[in-house]
């Protein structure tokens, strides 16, 4: 299982936007984007004019990094999207939103996708009543995501719900919270569309530019 192990704030600095990779830190004044940090590297302060290729690359990298997907997996998702009925770009965004780690985060059980991924890998999440430790699994309508009924799992979920509520993160329309504070649970009620994409990244990416660079 491939993982990104370098400092994640460097990714936000490179894209010059918040990717919300470190949970609470991203909402505070310690975030490098809030401090107008320069892009990483010795030449970060004097980058030249962006080329057409560079523009398309940045949109692709933003999408990958926001959802925590590496290149090989992103290419696989693109192949699935290109074979699906409908607009390829919208299908790609729908696939990203259907990942289990994203769903756990957007239900409010974890403050970030990285925290959601850790919850899943450590066995705190049940999918349709069975333990699932695969963050990249794609959900379908009707799938039920539930926090494992043990104290440490419930404690993590309660903390996540408290923090997401504190920072005003709402549950999207394609998901539904069906559980209680004592038994956190959620369900996917339909496939996500372009309008359901996380609003923190929705206006910062152009799926058509992503298609152009992947298919070149």
């Amino acid at each position: 299982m491939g993982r990104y192990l370098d400092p994640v704030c460097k990714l936000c600095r490179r894209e010059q936007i918040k990717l919300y990779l470190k949970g609470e830190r991203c909402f505070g004044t310690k975030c490098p984007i809030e401090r107008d940090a320069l892009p990483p590297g010795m030449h970060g302060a004097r980058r030249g004019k962006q080329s057409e290729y560079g523009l398309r690359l940045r949109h692709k990298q933003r999408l990958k990094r926001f959802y925590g997907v590496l290149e090989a997996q992103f290419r696989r998702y693109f192949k699935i999207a290109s074979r699906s009925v409908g607009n390829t770009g919208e299908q790609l965004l729908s696939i990203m939103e259907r990942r289990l780690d994203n769903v756990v985060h957007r239900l409010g059980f974890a403050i970030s996708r990285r925290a959601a991924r850790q919850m899943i890998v450590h066995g705190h999440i049940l999918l349709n009543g069975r333990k699932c430790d695969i963050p990249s699994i794609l959900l379908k309508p009707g799938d039920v995501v539930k926090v494992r009924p043990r104290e440490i799992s419930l404690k993590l979920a309660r903390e996540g719900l408290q923090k997401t509520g504190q920072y005003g993160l709402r549950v999207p329309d394609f998901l539904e919270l069906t559980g209680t504070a004592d038994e956190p649970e959620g369900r996917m009620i339909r496939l996500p569309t372009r309008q359901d994409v996380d609003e923190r990244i929705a206006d910062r990416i152009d799926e058509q530019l992503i298609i152009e660079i992947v298919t070149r």
Side-chain angles (χ1 to χ4, degrees):
M1 179 175 64
R3 291 186 299 162
Y4 179 84
L5 301 177
D6 291 336
V8 294
C9 285
K10 184 186 294 185
L11 301 181
C12 296
R13 288 170 55 205
R14 180 63 191 92
E15 303 304 330
Q16 288 294 285
I17 64 170
K18 284 190 177 186
L19 298 175
Y20 297 92
L21 302 177
K22 293 203 73 170
E24 290 184 277
R25 181 187 176 95
C26 299
F27 296 94
T29 56
K30 290 185 177 180
C31 175
I33 301 301
E34 293 289 344
R35 293 182 282 133
D36 296 323
L38 296 171
M42 61 185 298
H43 302 299
R46 53 185 182 88
R47 292 187 182 273
K49 182 179 178 181
Q50 192 172 52
S51 66
E52 290 295 316
Y53 176 84
L55 174 66
R56 287 158 176 76
L57 178 62
R58 293 272 62 83
H59 280 262
K60 180 174 78 97
Q61 297 296 79
R62 284 176 192 170
L63 181 65
K64 285 170 44 185
R65 291 167 173 174
F66 185 76
Y67 286 100
V69 175
L70 298 182
E71 184 67 22
Q73 197 168 44
F74 176 81
R75 294 278 175 173
R76 182 168 66 86
Y77 288 155
F78 185 82
K79 287 181 180 179
I80 296 173
S82 62
R83 294 196 298 263
S84 302
V85 177
N87 182 279
T88 299
E90 293 182 4
Q91 291 296 326
L92 178 62
L93 296 178
S94 177
I95 289 171
M96 294 293 191
E97 286 289 329
R98 287 166 52 201
R99 283 174 55 98
L100 179 57
D101 55 359
N102 179 75
V103 170
V104 170
H105 165 60
R106 302 210 69 189
L107 284 171
F109 301 159
I111 187 62
S112 68
R113 289 173 180 83
R114 288 170 63 86
R117 181 186 181 98
Q118 188 175 59
M119 284 184 69
I120 296 165
V121 171
H122 289 185
H124 298 297
I125 299 296
L126 301 177
L127 178 59
N128 296 326
R130 302 180 65 179
K131 188 177 80 169
C132 179
D133 57 2
I134 305 173
S136 62
I137 193 169
L138 299 180
L139 273 63
K140 57 184 182 300
D143 283 346
V144 176
V145 177
K146 185 176 181 179
V147 178
R148 195 171 178 182
R150 57 178 184 173
E151 186 55 37
I152 187 171
S153 303
L154 295 172
K155 180 182 178 182
L156 288 172
R158 292 192 196 106
E159 290 175 353
L161 287 166
Q162 181 182 4
K163 291 174 182 177
T164 52
Q166 176 183 347
Y167 295 115
L169 303 180
R170 65 176 186 86
V171 178
D173 294 338
F174 73 96
L175 298 174
E176 178 184 30
L177 273 174
T178 56
T180 63
D182 295 327
E183 295 184 358
E185 181 180 304
R187 182 169 64 95
M188 179 180 284
I189 56 179
R190 60 172 174 80
L191 291 175
T193 63
R194 181 65 171 87
Q195 288 68 37
D196 297 311
V197 174
D198 195 317
E199 59 188 12
R200 295 173 293 179
I201 195 68
D203 296 333
R204 310 302 296 270
I205 55 171
D206 185 333
E207 56 268 32
Q208 183 57 42
L209 296 180
I210 297 173
I211 293 173
E212 290 176 7
I213 190 172
V214 177
T215 56
R216 58 177 292 148

mmCIF file of all heavy atoms in Angstrom, residues 158-174:
data_model
loop_
_atom_site.group_PDB
_atom_site.id
_atom_site.type_symbol
_atom_site.label_atom_id
_atom_site.label_comp_id
_atom_site.label_asym_id
_atom_site.label_seq_id
_atom_site.Cartn_x
_atom_site.Cartn_y
_atom_site.Cartn_z
ATOM 1 N N ARG A 158 -16.492 10.424 18.235
ATOM 2 C CA ARG A 158 -17.108 11.559 18.939
ATOM 3 C C ARG A 158 -16.226 12.791 18.839
ATOM 4 O O ARG A 158 -16.715 13.908 18.643
ATOM 5 C CB ARG A 158 -17.348 11.194 20.407
ATOM 6 C CG ARG A 158 -18.420 10.131 20.628
ATOM 7 C CD ARG A 158 -18.787 10.042 22.096
ATOM 8 N NE ARG A 158 -19.510 8.803 22.370
ATOM 9 C CZ ARG A 158 -18.999 7.748 22.994
ATOM 10 N NH1 ARG A 158 -17.724 7.780 23.404
ATOM 11 N NH2 ARG A 158 -19.722 6.669 23.218
ATOM 12 N N GLU A 159 -14.922 12.603 18.992
ATOM 13 C CA GLU A 159 -13.989 13.728 18.858
ATOM 14 C C GLU A 159 -14.039 14.302 17.449
ATOM 15 O O GLU A 159 -14.011 15.519 17.260
ATOM 16 C CB GLU A 159 -12.569 13.278 19.196
ATOM 17 C CG GLU A 159 -12.353 12.968 20.669
ATOM 18 C CD GLU A 159 -10.967 12.416 20.947
ATOM 19 O OE1 GLU A 159 -10.214 12.157 19.965
ATOM 20 O OE2 GLU A 159 -10.616 12.252 22.130
ATOM 21 N N GLY A 160 -14.121 13.403 16.453
ATOM 22 C CA GLY A 160 -14.214 13.858 15.069
ATOM 23 C C GLY A 160 -15.491 14.649 14.817
ATOM 24 O O GLY A 160 -15.461 15.711 14.185
ATOM 25 N N LEU A 161 -16.621 14.165 15.321
ATOM 26 C CA LEU A 161 -17.898 14.859 15.141
ATOM 27 C C LEU A 161 -17.886 16.219 15.826
ATOM 28 O O LEU A 161 -18.433 17.197 15.288
ATOM 29 C CB LEU A 161 -19.033 13.996 15.693
ATOM 30 C CG LEU A 161 -19.396 12.757 14.857
ATOM 31 C CD1 LEU A 161 -20.278 11.808 15.663
ATOM 32 C CD2 LEU A 161 -20.096 13.170 13.563
ATOM 33 N N GLN A 162 -17.262 16.295 16.986
ATOM 34 C CA GLN A 162 -17.170 17.567 17.702
ATOM 35 C C GLN A 162 -16.332 18.582 16.923
ATOM 36 O O GLN A 162 -16.718 19.749 16.787
ATOM 37 C CB GLN A 162 -16.570 17.341 19.086
ATOM 38 C CG GLN A 162 -16.446 18.611 19.913
ATOM 39 C CD GLN A 162 -15.805 18.358 21.267
ATOM 40 O OE1 GLN A 162 -15.378 17.251 21.565
ATOM 41 N NE2 GLN A 162 -15.723 19.392 22.087
ATOM 42 N N LYS A 163 -15.200 18.127 16.392
ATOM 43 C CA LYS A 163 -14.311 19.033 15.672
ATOM 44 C C LYS A 163 -14.911 19.468 14.341
ATOM 45 O O LYS A 163 -14.830 20.650 13.977
ATOM 46 C CB LYS A 163 -12.961 18.354 15.441
ATOM 47 C CG LYS A 163 -12.156 18.149 16.708
ATOM 48 C CD LYS A 163 -10.882 17.348 16.439
ATOM 49 C CE LYS A 163 -10.101 17.090 17.714
ATOM 50 N NZ LYS A 163 -8.901 16.253 17.470
ATOM 51 N N THR A 164 -15.506 18.541 13.595
ATOM 52 C CA THR A 164 -16.098 18.916 12.303
ATOM 53 C C THR A 164 -17.261 19.882 12.501
ATOM 54 O O THR A 164 -17.471 20.793 11.698
ATOM 55 C CB THR A 164 -16.566 17.674 11.536
ATOM 56 O OG1 THR A 164 -17.413 16.877 12.377
ATOM 57 C CG2 THR A 164 -15.391 16.823 11.085
ATOM 58 N N GLY A 165 -18.022 19.688 13.590
ATOM 59 C CA GLY A 165 -19.093 20.629 13.892
ATOM 60 C C GLY A 165 -18.546 21.990 14.280
ATOM 61 O O GLY A 165 -19.097 23.037 13.906
ATOM 62 N N GLN A 166 -17.440 21.994 15.008
ATOM 63 C CA GLN A 166 -16.812 23.238 15.438
ATOM 64 C C GLN A 166 -16.345 24.074 14.254
ATOM 65 O O GLN A 166 -16.453 25.303 14.270
ATOM 66 C CB GLN A 166 -15.626 22.917 16.342
ATOM 67 C CG GLN A 166 -14.818 24.130 16.790
ATOM 68 C CD GLN A 166 -13.604 23.721 17.622
ATOM 69 O OE1 GLN A 166 -13.488 22.581 18.068
ATOM 70 N NE2 GLN A 166 -12.692 24.663 17.808
ATOM 71 N N TYR A 167 -15.832 23.410 13.202
ATOM 72 C CA TYR A 167 -15.321 24.125 12.039
ATOM 73 C C TYR A 167 -16.340 24.236 10.905
ATOM 74 O O TYR A 167 -16.006 24.654 9.804
ATOM 75 C CB TYR A 167 -14.046 23.447 11.543
ATOM 76 C CG TYR A 167 -12.912 23.533 12.545
ATOM 77 C CD1 TYR A 167 -12.396 22.397 13.157
ATOM 78 C CD2 TYR A 167 -12.375 24.775 12.889
ATOM 79 C CE1 TYR A 167 -11.366 22.491 14.084
ATOM 80 C CE2 TYR A 167 -11.345 24.876 13.810
ATOM 81 C CZ TYR A 167 -10.853 23.727 14.407
ATOM 82 O OH TYR A 167 -9.844 23.819 15.328
ATOM 83 N N GLY A 168 -17.574 23.870 11.176
ATOM 84 C CA GLY A 168 -18.657 24.089 10.217
ATOM 85 C C GLY A 168 -18.641 23.193 9.001
ATOM 86 O O GLY A 168 -19.154 23.577 7.945
ATOM 87 N N LEU A 169 -18.063 21.999 9.117
ATOM 88 C CA LEU A 169 -18.069 21.054 8.000
ATOM 89 C C LEU A 169 -19.400 20.303 7.990
ATOM 90 O O LEU A 169 -19.756 19.669 8.971
ATOM 91 C CB LEU A 169 -16.897 20.069 8.127
ATOM 92 C CG LEU A 169 -15.504 20.693 8.197
ATOM 93 C CD1 LEU A 169 -14.450 19.608 8.318
ATOM 94 C CD2 LEU A 169 -15.236 21.548 6.964
ATOM 95 N N ARG A 170 -20.121 20.381 6.897
ATOM 96 C CA ARG A 170 -21.450 19.766 6.837
ATOM 97 C C ARG A 170 -21.421 18.448 6.075
ATOM 98 O O ARG A 170 -20.548 18.217 5.228
ATOM 99 C CB ARG A 170 -22.445 20.718 6.178
ATOM 100 C CG ARG A 170 -22.152 21.009 4.712
ATOM 101 C CD ARG A 170 -23.219 21.878 4.093
ATOM 102 N NE ARG A 170 -23.006 22.025 2.660
ATOM 103 C CZ ARG A 170 -23.447 21.158 1.742
ATOM 104 N NH1 ARG A 170 -24.102 20.072 2.125
ATOM 105 N NH2 ARG A 170 -23.219 21.356 0.456
ATOM 106 N N VAL A 171 -22.401 17.600 6.361
ATOM 107 C CA VAL A 171 -22.534 16.325 5.658
ATOM 108 C C VAL A 171 -23.149 16.599 4.286
ATOM 109 O O VAL A 171 -24.183 17.267 4.191
ATOM 110 C CB VAL A 171 -23.431 15.353 6.455
ATOM 111 C CG1 VAL A 171 -23.600 14.043 5.703
ATOM 112 C CG2 VAL A 171 -22.843 15.094 7.837
ATOM 113 N N PRO A 172 -22.546 16.122 3.187
ATOM 114 C CA PRO A 172 -23.090 16.392 1.841
ATOM 115 C C PRO A 172 -24.412 15.664 1.607
ATOM 116 O O PRO A 172 -24.774 14.731 2.333
ATOM 117 C CB PRO A 172 -21.992 15.853 0.916
ATOM 118 C CG PRO A 172 -21.277 14.831 1.728
ATOM 119 C CD PRO A 172 -21.310 15.323 3.145
ATOM 120 N N ASP A 173 -25.122 16.085 0.572
ATOM 121 C CA ASP A 173 -26.464 15.565 0.318
ATOM 122 C C ASP A 173 -26.484 14.099 -0.092
ATOM 123 O O ASP A 173 -27.509 13.434 0.068
ATOM 124 C CB ASP A 173 -27.141 16.402 -0.778
ATOM 125 C CG ASP A 173 -27.395 17.832 -0.322
ATOM 126 O OD1 ASP A 173 -27.452 18.055 0.904
ATOM 127 O OD2 ASP A 173 -27.529 18.717 -1.185
ATOM 128 N N PHE A 174 -25.378 13.574 -0.638
ATOM 129 C CA PHE A 174 -25.400 12.177 -1.064
ATOM 130 C C PHE A 174 -25.160 11.209 0.092
ATOM 131 O O PHE A 174 -25.234 9.998 -0.082
ATOM 132 C CB PHE A 174 -24.391 11.929 -2.198
ATOM 133 C CG PHE A 174 -22.945 11.922 -1.763
ATOM 134 C CD1 PHE A 174 -22.300 10.733 -1.470
ATOM 135 C CD2 PHE A 174 -22.227 13.103 -1.668
ATOM 136 C CE1 PHE A 174 -20.965 10.711 -1.091
ATOM 137 C CE2 PHE A 174 -20.890 13.101 -1.294
ATOM 138 C CZ PHE A 174 -20.265 11.907 -1.012
#
